[in-house]
Amino acid sequence: MKHTKKVFIVYHSGYGHTKVQAEAVLAGASSVDGVEAELIDAKEAASNLDHIDEADAIVFGSPTYMGTISAEFKAFMDASSAKWMQQSWKNKIAGGFTNSSSQVGDKTGTLQALSVFAAQHGMVWVGLDLPPGNNSSEGSDDNLNRMGASLGAMAQSLADKGPDVTPPDADQQTARYYGERIAKAAIRWAA
Ligand SMILES: Cc1cc2nc3c(=O)[nH]c(=O)nc-3n(C[C@H](O)[C@H](O)[C@H](O)COP(=O)(O)O)c2cc1C
């Protein structure tokens, strides 16, 4: 019997919106046969780095704060330098997602920070292969990948609404699709 692949989603969410996105990535990854997925808060991950070693794939998620990752997510990144020394996460599949309140909001800066981080660990980054949505006269805000990202999954949450309302379903479905893609990539990469 084939070994089950583990997909860990390591995320930070200050106010719950990025957590909704993280849960959608989890649902997508868990839907793939032969994959077990787990949601891990960045603070918890930083204090138990040995557990992260068990992953075949790690998806990193952070809200965009001031055009980049949050301080809380950066604390996890810095703590992970112990694993960088040993290159323990080398050749694991990696991916990233972010959420912010503005349509652009400089979210690309966050995904770039996450992808460089993964590269430092020698990980294999998997982008989002969905075509950009809502970019033509036929498009709408209900389209998957309405943010038009390729490096990873993006979501946009209304600044004055709670995580029970926003990010919208299109962004949650985009995150779900991305989780599925990462899980399938983990299976293919380790075959
Ligand atoms: C300190 C701080 C900085 C922020 N910077 C940005 C930003 O650069 N771009 C943006 O679009 N939204 C920005 N926001 C809004 C958040 O990205 C947005 O509220 C997001 O949904 C928060 O996710 P969370 O609930 O998971 O923390 C910022 C919010 C905070 C608290």
Side-chain angles (χ1 to χ4, degrees), residues 72-88:
E72 289 85 346
F73 197 86
K74 185 63 164 65
F76 160 72
M77 285 165 77
D78 290 359
S80 81
S81 62
K83 294 296 177 183
W84 172 83
M85 305 266 235
Q86 304 151 20
Q87 285 287 288
S88 315

Side-chain angles (χ1 to χ4, degrees), residues 165-185:
V165 173
T166 189
D169 191 55
D171 296 350
Q172 293 183 43
Q173 292 307 321
T174 301
R176 188 188 163 96
Y177 173 87
Y178 188 55
E180 210 177 306
R181 172 166 165 78
I182 296 279
K184 288 178 180 165

Side-chain angles (χ1 to χ4, degrees), residues 126-178:
V126 175
L128 179 67
D129 62 332
L130 285 172
N134 200 18
N135 67 349
S136 75
S137 57
E138 306 281 305
S140 91
D141 254 344
D142 295 331
N143 294 160
L144 286 186
N145 196 19
R146 72 187 178 110
M147 295 287 112
S150 337
L151 197 50
M154 288 184 179
Q156 179 260 332
S157 295
L158 300 169
D160 59 344
K161 298 286 181 192
D164 52 326
V165 173
T166 189
D169 191 55
D171 296 350
Q172 293 183 43
Q173 292 307 321
T174 301
R176 188 188 163 96
Y177 173 87
Y178 188 55

